[in-house]
Amino acid sequence: GSRWGYKQTVYGPTDWGLAAPLCTGQFQSPIDIITSSAQTNSSHNGLALTFDNTDGAISGSLTNNGHAPTVTLDKTKGGVTLAGGPLGQTTFSLEQFHFHFGCESNVGSEHTVDGNSYASEMHLVFYNTLYESFQEAASKSDGLSVIGVFLQVNGGFNEWLENIALSLTNVKFPSGGSYSPGGSIPLATLVPDLVSKNAPYYTYKGSLTTPPCYESVQWIVLKNPISVTKSQLEIMRSLSATSGNSLCNNFRPVNALNGRKLYKWPG
Ligand code: BO1
Ligand code: ZN
């Protein structure tokens, strides 16, 4: 059901398994990325993203689903595909991106790095084009790949994050309604490492970080954070969750690696 959340007053993370049994699995996400234990894999390469629009822009609709502010791509206005990295020749198509963030800036990311949190983490959710849709792919072991991008405060002003942040005031309350941000979002400018062939990343096999917690995700977590301002985070924090509380601290605690291999690129 949809009655899960991040606070223990609803079905909090430790109770997700009651409603979604897969959430108690052994290969769950997020994890703490212990950088000293990351190995190199000689078959991995740099990420290869391709944008249908030459300027790297996308269009989509913005929704507040009660768990995270989400931009769902309008593929008729240009898609984004992901291959390379740990994925080799298999191509994945961007479905949506969304944000996890803290009520305070010392927490918010889902993945942590050597025990340290970032203020926010953006997830770019791709599905394997061997399947017909995200929904078809979501439960398959090779179905999904998500790129995680950390957001840190005090690095500078990101104009395109501002564009998204200002649009968020139109989806303050969770509902089926959506809002189309004016113009297109230059994703390649928002996250420059998406168009770099040399972007360093960590990668491992894990899960959706929310119910139903399918263990179907090749996680690719970019090492380099992008910048967010405190006021942009405050706009995110002014969103309401399904519970009526602020939609902040919408991150799942880290899970054990349980023998999985964590890789880094480059070596
Ligand atoms: S995440 O990137 O691991 N945080 C993530 C988590 C969940 C989804 C996408 C990315 N999507 C979910 C939908 C659910 C749906 C499920 C399986 O996928 O939010 O409504 O049931 O299709
Ligand atoms: Zn997410």
Side-chain angles (χ1 to χ4, degrees), residues 162-176:
E162 183 74 0
N163 190 337
I164 294 168
L166 295 177
S167 300
L168 290 178
T169 54
N170 295 288
V171 292
K172 194 163 161 29
F173 300 100
S175 77

Side-chain angles (χ1 to χ4, degrees), residues 64-76:
N64 174 356
N65 62 17
H67 305 298
T70 303
V71 175
T72 303
L73 210 70
D74 178 353
K75 294 188 197 86
T76 67

